[in-house]
Amino acid sequence: MVRTGAALQRAFDVRGFVVFENVFSPDEVRRAREAFDRLVARAASVENGEERDGAVFFVHPIERGPRAGTKAIDRVCWAGAAEPVLRRIGEDRRLLEPVSRLLGSESMDQLINQAHFKLPDDGVTFPWHQDSTHRRYGTDLWTDVNGRGSYVQTALALDDVDEHNGPLRFLPGSQRDGHRGLPRDGTLPPDLEAIEPVAATMKAGSVALFGPYVVHGSTANRSSRPRRVLINGYAYPGANRRVYPGRGAGRRIDLDERASA
C-alpha cells in the first residue's frame, strides 16, 4: 500500500485505518522487544500508576487462571522515557511521514508513546471505544483544529499478530459519524453492532495507523505467544490541552528536523 499521498488518504477515509507491512526490520524489532523485556522487569516492583525512570506503569493483579497472583501490565505510558529505543521509534520518519500526510501538518505534538503487553493468560482486554474519548473530545481540553479529528495513532507490532493472540479489531467505516461518546463498557449502538469487525493481523515490524473516530478494541490473548505493540499518537498542533503522563509527553516534533530512516 502507498504510504504517502492521496492513495493513503483515500484508504484512511474509507476504512478509518490502514496497515503497512514490513516497516521496521527484524533487528529493529528485536531491540524493541528487548526494551519491552526490561519494562516487564521494572513492572514487577511497581504499584499501579507509579512512575519509574520517567515512564508511568499501569498494572493490575491477575485473579484467575494459571497466572493468578501475579501482575498484568495494562500499559506503560511514555515508555520511551525509560527506554530510549522506543522514544526514537516514535520520531522515526517511517511513522512521521504518513502521519504528517494524514494530519495535514509537518509539525505535530506527540501525546502517546505506550508499550502495550498482551501476554498469555494475562486477561488484558480493551472494549470497543474511540480514541476521541481518551483525547477528551467534547471538552475544553481538545479542539479539532484541522476538521478531520486532529489526531493519528500508530501501532507497531513487535510480534506476529493473528486472530488468537489479541489483535486490534476495527469496525471499518465507523469513523464517518465522528465522535459518538460511546459508553466505557464497550456497548455498541445497533448501527455499529451491525458492522463486521476486521482484525488487524500483522507480521512483526508492521504498523497500523488509525484515526480518533474509528471504533476499535481487542480481546484477550488466547494463545501461548505474546502480543506486544508499541503505540505512538500524534496531535495537530494546538488541538490538545491535556497533560499526559510520563516524561516527554506532549513534545513537539517537526518532520523537517528528522533525518531520513
Side-chain angles (χ1 to χ4, degrees), residues 29 33-34 36-37 40 67 73 116-124 156-167 202-204 219-229:
V29 169
R33 285 176 181 163
E34 291 170 351
F36 270 51
D37 289 342
V40 170
R67 291 188 56 199
I73 307 171
H116 279 223
F117 298 80
K118 281 200 179 183
L119 305 180
D121 300 312
D122 69 4
V124 173
L156 165 62
L158 301 185
D159 303 289
D160 291 349
V161 181
D162 61 23
E163 294 275 2
H164 305 292
N165 63 346
M202 301 186 286
K203 293 293 186 182
T219 55
N221 184 347
R222 305 189 190 284
S223 77
S224 59
R225 299 173 292 103
R227 191 232 69 173
R228 294 161 291 187
V229 172

Side-chain angles (χ1 to χ4, degrees), residues 75-97:
R75 63 195 182 280
V76 180
C77 292
W78 212 259
E83 293 293 337
V85 64
L86 305 179
R87 174 183 53 77
R88 289 192 292 272
I89 289 173
E91 59 194 31
D92 192 291
R93 287 186 69 96
R94 287 168 290 182
L95 297 183
L96 299 182
E97 286 180 355

